[in-house]
Amino acid sequence: MKPVFSVIVPIYNEIEVLPVLVERLTAVMDRTGKPWEAVLIDDGSKDGSSEMMREISAADNRYRSLFFARNFGHQIAVTAGMDYALGDAVIVIDADLQDPPETILELIAKWEEGYEVVYAVRSEREGETWFKKTSAALFYRLIYKITDVDIPLDTGDFRLLDRKVVDVMGRMREKHRFLRGMSSWIGFKQTGVSYHRAKRYAGTSKYPFKKMIRLAWNAITGFSYVPLQLATFLGFIVAALAILLIPIVVVLRIRGTELIGQATTLISTLFLGGVQLICLGIIGEYLGRIYDEVKARPLYVIREASGSKYDENGVLPTPKE
Ligand code: UDP
Ligand code: MG
């Protein structure tokens, strides 16, 4: 039977949390009283999560599993899940139980009221480092300020998306993805539900600093030109400074004051060099992203898929790539 709800769970080395996740998710989803499925995406795990996912799919055919050929990253894993999901409403949730599965029922209640995007807002975050909380808070505020879309503050990817939204997002094949931004960009009727973000159930964060920075850059470059405009802005400032300095230098020269040269010249050259390199680097960031788009490689590579039970022909629905 075609599922009404699809729950997408990206998995990267989550062997310790998988059994509890399945138990809690199954209990919650059964309470909806409607047919549902879960799409588990193995993002190149190396800790035996893949084997466990095979067992999960074999034991309960509502759990379908996809296996990536390597680690493609969280946002891409969720995208693959959205490509494969068959439900009328699609719920994205982390595997580590930081997003409590029980909150899904609240998201569904809003969806039944007619909202097409229901995002979960973190009212509190538990068990995360000071650094993670502060950097996340700063990041959301920066994004909010400089992007053209209103991305709600303190929301992660934990959300419910209506089939209409999923179909539109499926057509947005940009390589460097910031899904929360994309789902805000689309529009439709959106609302938030606040929840208490729990501690990671087991294991450690799979979002090291490097991946966080990459996601932040994707968010900024994907939704804003402000960094590119920085060059113009800095250019005006430096030019204004130069114009102010010219008469001063002329006057000093006429008065016969000795201008002390070397240190000033060195500092101003280095300063300008630094500014120019930063601006070039920013252009490079955008250029690299354009290059990735032009190459038009698929977003992900699937090694194997299991547990296709819903397609009328008994075939796993093909992804869009
Ligand atoms: N994840 C993934 N691929 C990655 C990194 C993370 O699929 O390259 C998954 C991970 O298994 C989890 C979710 O994305 O289900 C969120 O990751 P995590 O909990 O480590 O991030 P944090 O909550 O620390 O930001
Ligand atoms: Mg987590």
Side-chain angles (χ1 to χ4, degrees), residues 13 15 33 38 50 65 78 83 100 111 123 148 154 226 253 259 319:
N13 296 340
I15 191 158
S50 323
S65 296
V78 172
D83 291 343
W111 177 69
S123 57
D148 314 326
D154 303 319
V226 169
R253 194 68 200 219
L259 288 174

Side-chain angles (χ1 to χ4, degrees), residues 16 22 39 65 91 125 150 157 161-163 187 201-202 204-205 217-218 265 276 280-281 283 285 307 317:
E16 291 138 299
V22 170
V39 183
S65 296
I91 298 121
R125 299 171 76 121
D150 282 345
D157 287 313
L161 306 168
D162 186 82
R163 167 57 43 201
Y201 178 77
T204 50
S205 173
W217 256 121
N218 288 344
T265 317
Q276 285 170 344
L280 263 182
I283 297 174
E285 290 288 336

